[in-house]
Amino acid sequence: MYSDLIHLGGADKYVDEVLEIINSIKLLDDFSADEVRYLCAYMQCYAAPRDYSLLVEGAGGDYLLLILSGGVDVYKNDASAEGRHMVARLGIGDTIGEMSLIDGYPRSATCVTTHPTDFAVFSRSSMQELLVNMPKLGNKILIKLLQLMTERLRDTSNRYPDGAFFSLV
């Protein structure tokens, strides 16, 4: 995974940085410092250059990414027109790839860095390990992921009230 990028090591080396931006991280907004420290032990960090495709629509993957610095544009392929269109612009504290973490299905969008971007990877195997080792924290993460995904679904359905968003997925 990301063998062409600079591997920065385990996120446990960057706990202080994560705690500095904790208010920007919806996934962790009600986590204690100890819970964040424990969770960081299950993530790896990487550095990507500008214009790097972190996730590609249709590709496999069973992990999510937490953006620690930089930014990411999210694109959907458009079958009715040529190419793709941007559906979101994300930054520090945002997560991408949650659906594939949960269901293991191919990526539903392409995510491209807009600036040099550092990010942490949280894989399905790390999630399973966390659920075994610390079930209360693992369940807390799962609930937060469900909340984030339903929030995004509600936002999408509100932006496209006539059901046009179904042509995007």
Side-chain angles (χ1 to χ4, degrees):
M1 170 185 331
Y2 300 111
S3 59
D4 57 334
L5 294 180
I6 298 170
H7 181 235
L8 301 173
D12 53 335
K13 297 176 185 173
Y14 301 96
V15 171
D16 291 337
E17 288 85 347
V18 171
L19 290 172
E20 283 179 25
I21 63 168
I22 194 78
N23 294 332
S24 304
I25 304 174
K26 279 189 173 183
L27 180 64
L28 307 177
D29 65 359
D30 62 348
F31 283 55
S32 70
D34 286 340
E35 289 173 323
V36 171
R37 279 186 192 86
Y38 197 82
L39 181 61
C40 283
Y42 288 86
M43 297 189 285
Q44 294 294 310
C45 294
Y46 295 86
R50 181 183 174 164
D51 295 324
Y52 184 87
S53 294
L54 293 173
L55 305 176
V56 177
E57 186 172 348
D62 62 352
Y63 53 90
L64 70 75
L65 306 179
L66 169 61
I67 302 167
L68 301 173
S69 69
V72 174
D73 284 344
V74 180
Y75 296 93
K76 280 294 291 171
N77 290 334
D78 191 346
S80 64
E82 58 277 339
R84 61 187 186 183
H85 62 278
M86 189 173 73
V87 295
R89 177 160 279 169
L90 305 175
I92 295 170
D94 288 321
T95 56
I96 54 177
E98 303 91 346
M99 291 191 313
S100 292
L101 169 74
I102 299 297
D103 65 15
Y105 281 38
R107 302 295 182 181
S108 62
T110 297
C111 300
V112 180
T113 59
T114 58
H115 299 68
T117 301
D118 293 344
F119 60 95
V121 176
F122 185 60
S123 68
R124 179 183 291 175
S125 62
S126 291
M127 171 58 93
Q128 291 167 339
E129 200 175 320
L130 181 64
L131 284 164
V132 168
N133 295 336
M134 198 164 187
K136 188 175 178 179
L137 181 59
N139 284 318
K140 190 172 183 178
I141 289 283
L142 286 174
I143 295 296
K144 288 299 290 184
L145 286 169
L146 289 171
Q147 290 170 340
L148 287 174
M149 291 189 308
T150 56
E151 180 182 317
R152 286 185 184 170
L153 180 59
R154 286 181 196 280
D155 179 58
T156 300
S157 60
N158 287 335
R159 280 191 288 155
Y160 302 99
D162 63 353
F165 78 94
F166 287 112
S167 67
L168 300 176
V169 249

